């Protein structure tokens, strides 16, 4: 096999690595609009091709140094078009670099094999069709393998260790793939260029497999963390409901006892000043009576507990609810759904300094065979949505955001959906669930 096997045209190298970036760019949350993303993609392809054209004459150690710069350039498109942290950019750029290297090596090796045996592959147009078809096959397969993890990719919280290990694996794969092209008289070289190319293709294939397995392990760990956290949250919300039920029942009993005691005192006091004092006392303790009478005692209990919290925080919580419409739902699901939704709303409005702006409104109704839940609350600052879900503003994202996920999961459990929108300083949660006949 000729020496031509060693020299892959610079444009195929650039295109292969660009397509590797494209695979992960399609799976990750976008930062730009579609038109802007397309423009950025075209510019980045041009930059990669230009760089490879300028550095093509280099060989040996200088070539490897230039490839290190090329690998750094591949991080820029991901950083530009995807909403990612730095460690995520490095992580996915490393994976795309190894994937691009494998596709390029495999396509060129197969092309040379066919071109040397069948002259029909010799023309430039035949080369382009052949290589692009191999690229299409490789990158389509990889996209299909990665696609089931698309939701996790958007939420995956990488540690510095995970990122560093991925970069180390990618560097090691590149070094091993390059050793086979060392001079023939060295211990690590292939005996022929064909053998050297086989080694490089297989090393790259192993690198793609190892990095994919590493990624699946990270995703599995995240899914398990999410499942365990949601399970704990479900139990905590239900226990919170039980405690609220006991507290509300106790407060109501005490309130009724106090009402009778005040009535007795009122009959024994004749001065207007003392009667005004008793009236004021009665009004103050009246706020602790269960005011929510929705028709669903589970919802009443949740609202009562949240109402007391809101009163302490200076939050105005209003509710118009047809509680009977919730009768088909399990009490645990009710506590998870309304508990998390109201907790998120209370947390958001508590950060508003103006007390008059601390507003929350909840409505529950039946509409054309569907249960319709709508929760609105004021919020201050900048709220970011990713794939339709609010992104947590807490510093440690790993253990937050599960409340929103539990709301979505509960709605989907009953064949419904949950949507989140924001407009003019208002955040709105809408849940639509079909009511069983």
């Amino acid at each position: 096999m000729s020496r031509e096997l060693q020299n892959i045209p610079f444009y195929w190298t650039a295109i292969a690595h660009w397509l590797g970036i494209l695979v992960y760019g399609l799976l990750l949350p976008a930062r730009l609009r579609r038109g802007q993303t397309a423009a950025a993609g075209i510019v980045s392809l041009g930059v990669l091709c230009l760089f490879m054209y300028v550095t093509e004459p280099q060989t040996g150690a200088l070539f490897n140094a230039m490839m290190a710069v090329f690998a750094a350039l591949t991080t820029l498109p991901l950083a530009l078009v995807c909403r990612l942290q730095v460690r995520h950019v490095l992580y996915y750029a490393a994976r795309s670099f190894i994937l691009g290297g494998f596709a390029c090596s495999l396509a060129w090796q197969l092309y040379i094999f066919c071109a040397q045996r069948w002259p029909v592959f010799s023309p430039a147009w035949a080369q382009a069709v052949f290589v692009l078809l191999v690229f299409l096959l490789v990158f389509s397969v990889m996209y299909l393998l990665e696609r089931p993890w698309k939701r996790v990719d958007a939420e995956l919280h990488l540690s510095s260790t995970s990122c560093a290990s991925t970069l180390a694996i990618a560097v090691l794969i590149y070094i091993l793939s390059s050793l086979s092209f060392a001079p023939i008289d060295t211990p690590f070289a292939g005996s022929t260029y064909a053998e050297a190319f086989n080694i490089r293709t297989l090393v790259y294939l192993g690198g793609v497999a190892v990095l994919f397995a590493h990624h699946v392990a990270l995703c599995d760990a995240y899914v398990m963390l999410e499942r365990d956290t949601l399970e704990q949250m479900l139990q905590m919300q239900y226990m919170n409901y039980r405690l609220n039920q006991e507290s509300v029942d106790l407060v109501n009993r005490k309130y009724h006892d106090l009402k009778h005691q005040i009535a007795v005192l009122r009959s024994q006091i004749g001065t207007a000043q003392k009667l005004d004092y008793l009236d004021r006392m009665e009004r103050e303790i009246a706020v602790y009576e269960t005011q929510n009478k929705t028709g669903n005692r589970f919802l009443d209990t949740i609202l009562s507990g949240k109402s007391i919290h809101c009163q302490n925080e200076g939050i105005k919580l209003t509710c118009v609810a047809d509680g009977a419409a919730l009768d088909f739902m399990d009490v645990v699901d009710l506590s998870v759904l309304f508990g998390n939704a109201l907790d998120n709303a209370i947390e958001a409005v508590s950060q508003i300094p103006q007390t008059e702006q601390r507003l929350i409104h909840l409505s529950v109704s039946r509409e054309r065979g569907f249960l319709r839940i709508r929760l609105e609350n004021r919020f201050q600052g900048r709220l970011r949505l990713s794939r339709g879900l609010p992104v947590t503003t807490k510093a440690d994202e790993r253990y937050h955001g599960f409340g929103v996920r539990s709301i979505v999961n509960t709605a989907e459990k009953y064949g419904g959906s949950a949507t989140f929108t924001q407009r003019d300083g208002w955040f709105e949660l809408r849940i639509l669930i079909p009511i069983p006949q």
Side-chain angles (χ1 to χ4, degrees), residues 101-115:
F102 167 67
C104 190
S105 180
L106 176 65
W108 192 245
Q109 186 176 3
L110 291 176
Y111 169 72
I112 294 299
F113 177 85
C114 294

Side-chain angles (χ1 to χ4, degrees), residues 79 84 108 118 201 209 242 245 260 291 297 336 394 422 433 435:
L84 299 171
W108 192 245
W118 299 289
T201 302
R242 295 293 300 270
Q245 180 65 59
H260 292 303
Q291 299 297 322
R297 72 184 190 90
V336 169
K394 295 181 173 66
Q422 56 171 324
I433 298 175
I435 299 177

Side-chain angles (χ1 to χ4, degrees), residues 133-258:
L133 284 176
V134 175
F135 283 176
L136 178 63
L137 176 63
V138 171
F139 292 114
S140 296
V141 169
M142 197 63 197
Y143 179 82
L144 293 176
L145 289 174
E146 295 275 357
R147 191 175 180 181
W149 305 102
K150 184 175 182 178
R151 181 188 69 81
V152 181
D153 284 337
E155 303 171 359
L156 187 63
H157 303 298
L158 288 170
S159 65
S160 299
T161 303
S162 298
C163 179
S165 62
T166 300
L167 291 175
I169 293 172
V171 171
L172 180 61
I173 293 300
Y174 178 77
I175 293 174
L176 291 175
S177 69
S178 302
L179 281 178
S180 59
F181 284 91
I184 298 298
D185 58 351
T186 61
F188 305 102
S191 59
T192 65
Y193 288 110
E195 182 181 323
F197 226 98
N198 284 332
I199 293 173
R200 180 162 79 169
T201 302
L202 291 174
V203 168
Y204 269 126
L205 175 60
V208 171
V210 168
L211 289 175
F212 179 70
H214 179 57
H215 181 69
V216 170
L218 291 176
C219 291
D220 280 339
Y222 177 80
V223 170
M224 291 180 62
L225 172 66
E226 181 184 52
R227 182 193 63 194
D228 294 342
T229 303
L230 289 175
E231 181 67 25
Q232 293 174 10
M233 185 175 294
L234 183 147
Q235 296 298 328
M236 289 175 62
Q237 286 289 353
Y238 181 66
M239 290 301 298
N240 188 44
Y241 157 75
R242 295 293 300 270
L243 291 173
N244 280 341
Q245 180 65 59
E246 296 174 1
S247 299
V248 168
D249 290 344
L250 177 61
V251 168
N252 285 336
R253 288 196 300 270
K254 294 297 183 182
Y255 170 71
H256 287 293
D257 291 342
L258 284 173

Side-chain angles (χ1 to χ4, degrees), residues 82 97 150 154 278 283 316 384 404 421:
C82 298
F97 183 81
K150 184 175 182 178
L278 289 176
R283 285 195 300 271
K316 184 177 180 181
R384 183 162 59 89
V404 171
T421 57

Side-chain angles (χ1 to χ4, degrees), residues 33-73:
R33 296 177 180 176
R34 290 185 179 179
Q36 295 173 321
T37 300
I42 294 173
V43 171
S44 64
L45 176 59
V47 170
L48 294 178
C49 286
L50 179 61
F51 181 85
M52 290 304 297
Y53 172 75
V54 172
T55 59
E56 186 181 22
Q58 307 301 331
T59 59
L62 187 56
F63 172 79
N64 289 323
M66 292 299 98
M67 285 302 294
V69 176
F70 179 80
L73 285 176

Side-chain angles (χ1 to χ4, degrees), residues 91-106:
Y91 174 81
Y92 288 107
R95 296 190 65 205
S96 72
F97 183 81
I98 299 301
L99 177 61
F102 167 67
C104 190
S105 180
L106 176 65

